[in-house]
Amino acid sequence: MNNRKVLVTGGLGYIGSHTVVELQNEGCEVVIIDDLSNASISVLDGITAITGKKPQFEEIDLKDKAKVQDFFKRHSDIEGVIHFAASKAVGESVEKPLHYYENNINTLVYVLQELKTFNKKNFIFSSSCTVYGQADTLPISEEAPVKPAESPYGNTKQIGEEIIKDTCKIDESFKAIALRYFNPIGAHSSTEIGELPIGVPQNLVPFITQTAIGLREELSVFGDDYPTEDGTCIRDYIHVVDLAKAHVIALQRLLNGHNSSNFEVFNLGTGKGSSVLEVIRSFENVSGEKLKYKIVKRRAGDVTAAYADTNRAKEILGWQTKLTLDDAMESAWHWEQKIRN
Ligand code: WQD
């Protein structure tokens, strides 16, 4: 990947920043676009501290079509794009659907339009296992039917994939891969970058670490009456560094012309389901902390269980996770301790 110039939109975000690090480790020249609506400029220093190379950065709101057009005029030598930029809070999307459709769909269309104008070929899309809803069979394969979205956020991921698919249909030379993440957790081992939720965390793992560090009173476990072994929901928790490496491999696949069709989809998970109580136990084991939590009623919209069939990613991408739940929980805890000190 030496000296390949790659645009990472949303590159100061949680998964984006970890992916920038892995791209730079592979010798890529990275340009980041971020509107800083859900990320801090300090993440740029974190990336630089890890790799020793400061990525180019431009603060651009991708909803501003003219700004997007201007950017691509100035960077016509970009060879690939990894598109993370989007709002991603499920609950918030229910309260502000139009914000989510504008911010997640319009921006995707403007970026794709410029890629077409500049005859840019390679596009990696940040998608989500949310598109499956509660799948009928587990583990969930890429062939599982996409179900009606449970939230406007999930709908924007489904619509986004359809927009990209239609773009690929009319232009064989345009190549795209949609990566459907399961539950990204953890932080870079350097503790220079990690998850930075704004306000009260919606996701489980940052709520656990913020409770343990004393920022939150106690964790509420949303229901223990599900039809699972311990009654709590099951998810596929994937270390964000493993996830980031998958993006580099997917982009290399397109840059090297190894894709078998010009629109491909891959699930990115560990293939292993873990319950909420198992995640809590993992945290307690790696941190030595006793977590304060209580069981409360179910959260609307939660599915009982979701974990990935990882065969396609393993056999076709040649990628699989290497880090464990304990590795992820330990890195999340070290990160929480670092940012609170
Ligand atoms: C995990 C489990 C909760 C918080 C979401 C999005 C998905 C992706 C990842 C973007 C569930 C339980 C949680 C808490 C709890 N995001 N929980 N107490 O909902 O599986 O996935 O984030 O792509 O698209 O849907 O993740 O971390 O919110 O919940 O008991 O305070 O933890 O009920 O079972 P989720 P989560």
Side-chain angles (χ1 to χ4, degrees), residues 147-158:
K147 291 200 171 171
E150 312 256 342
S151 68
Y153 161 74
N155 207 21
T156 65
K157 289 302 178 184
Q158 290 181 5

Side-chain angles (χ1 to χ4, degrees), residues 88 90 128 130 153 182-184 202-205 207 219-222 233 235 237 276 299 302:
K88 63 153 191 125
V90 173
S128 169
T130 304
Y153 161 74
F182 280 68
N183 287 56
Q202 298 306 303
N203 293 126
L204 176 66
V205 172
F207 207 108
L219 170 75
S220 295
V221 173
F222 297 141
C233 293
R235 296 289 184 277
Y237 296 96
V276 175
R299 176 174 69 176
D302 274 336

Side-chain angles (χ1 to χ4, degrees), residues 132-237:
Y132 298 115
Q134 176 55 71
D136 301 325
T137 53
L138 293 169
I140 303 172
S141 82
E142 290 82 354
E143 284 65 50
V146 170
K147 291 200 171 171
E150 312 256 342
S151 68
Y153 161 74
N155 207 21
T156 65
K157 289 302 178 184
Q158 290 181 5
I159 296 166
E161 289 192 13
E162 291 304 312
I163 290 170
I164 296 161
K165 217 187 292 182
D166 288 345
T167 304
C168 293
K169 259 187 215 140
I170 57 150
D171 176 356
E172 268 305 305
S173 71
F174 186 77
K175 302 182 287 183
I177 292 177
L179 297 175
R180 293 174 177 168
Y181 315 151
F182 280 68
N183 287 56
I185 62 169
H188 194 269
S189 57
S190 65
T191 68
E192 292 292 348
I193 54 175
E195 196 168 4
L196 280 170
I198 295 175
V200 179
Q202 298 306 303
N203 293 126
L204 176 66
V205 172
F207 207 108
I208 287 176
T209 56
Q210 288 193 12
T211 300
I213 204 102
L215 264 180
R216 308 288 160 206
E217 181 54 33
E218 70 178 335
L219 170 75
S220 295
V221 173
F222 297 141
D224 68 347
D225 58 348
Y226 285 92
T228 62
E229 206 170 307
D230 65 19
T232 63
C233 293
I234 291 172
R235 296 289 184 277
D236 185 332
Y237 296 96

Side-chain angles (χ1 to χ4, degrees), residues 1-176:
M1 296 271 274
N2 263 348
N3 304 319
R4 298 275 198 162
K5 189 170 178 183
V6 179
L7 165 62
V8 180
T9 71
L12 293 186
Y14 175 39
I15 304 167
S17 56
H18 287 80
T19 302
V20 168
V21 165
E22 299 307 328
L23 285 166
Q24 289 190 316
N25 288 344
E26 290 299 317
C28 289
E29 182 195 339
V30 177
V31 187
I32 294 172
I33 287 179
D34 204 299
D35 66 0
L36 299 179
S37 62
N38 192 27
S40 159
I41 190 68
S42 64
V43 173
L44 204 52
D45 298 332
I47 293 169
T48 310
I50 296 169
T51 64
K53 290 174 278 187
K54 185 168 188 173
Q56 289 179 59
F57 168 69
E58 296 198 27
E59 183 180 348
I60 295 174
D61 179 348
L62 294 174
K63 296 194 293 297
D64 184 333
K65 186 172 181 176
K67 291 256 173 57
V68 176
Q69 291 171 326
D70 169 64
F71 173 86
F72 277 93
K73 281 199 188 83
R74 291 183 287 107
H75 294 275
S76 57
D77 53 347
I78 279 169
E79 296 183 65
V81 176
I82 303 183
H83 184 63
F84 291 102
S87 300
K88 63 153 191 125
V90 173
E92 183 189 50
S93 76
V94 175
E95 289 149 30
K96 304 178 186 169
L98 290 180
H99 164 76
Y100 270 69
Y101 289 115
E102 182 189 31
N103 196 46
N104 293 7
I105 303 297
N106 292 11
T107 55
L108 171 65
V109 169
Y110 296 157
V111 170
L112 290 174
Q113 283 173 328
E114 292 316 300
L115 294 183
K116 301 287 296 149
T117 309
F118 285 90
N119 196 24
K120 294 295 156 203
K121 305 277 182 216
N122 308 298
F123 189 74
I124 304 291
F125 181 61
S126 166
S127 191
S128 169
C129 65
T130 304
V131 301
Y132 298 115
Q134 176 55 71
D136 301 325
T137 53
L138 293 169
I140 303 172
S141 82
E142 290 82 354
E143 284 65 50
V146 170
K147 291 200 171 171
E150 312 256 342
S151 68
Y153 161 74
N155 207 21
T156 65
K157 289 302 178 184
Q158 290 181 5
I159 296 166
E161 289 192 13
E162 291 304 312
I163 290 170
I164 296 161
K165 217 187 292 182
D166 288 345
T167 304
C168 293
K169 259 187 215 140
I170 57 150
D171 176 356
E172 268 305 305
S173 71
F174 186 77
K175 302 182 287 183

Side-chain angles (χ1 to χ4, degrees), residues 309-328:
D309 175 332
T310 56
N311 285 323
R312 258 178 70 78
K314 209 178 294 176
E315 284 155 24
I316 298 174
L317 275 188
W319 168 90
Q320 61 184 1
T321 54
K322 293 190 170 59
L323 297 163
T324 65
L325 177 63
D326 282 358
D327 294 331

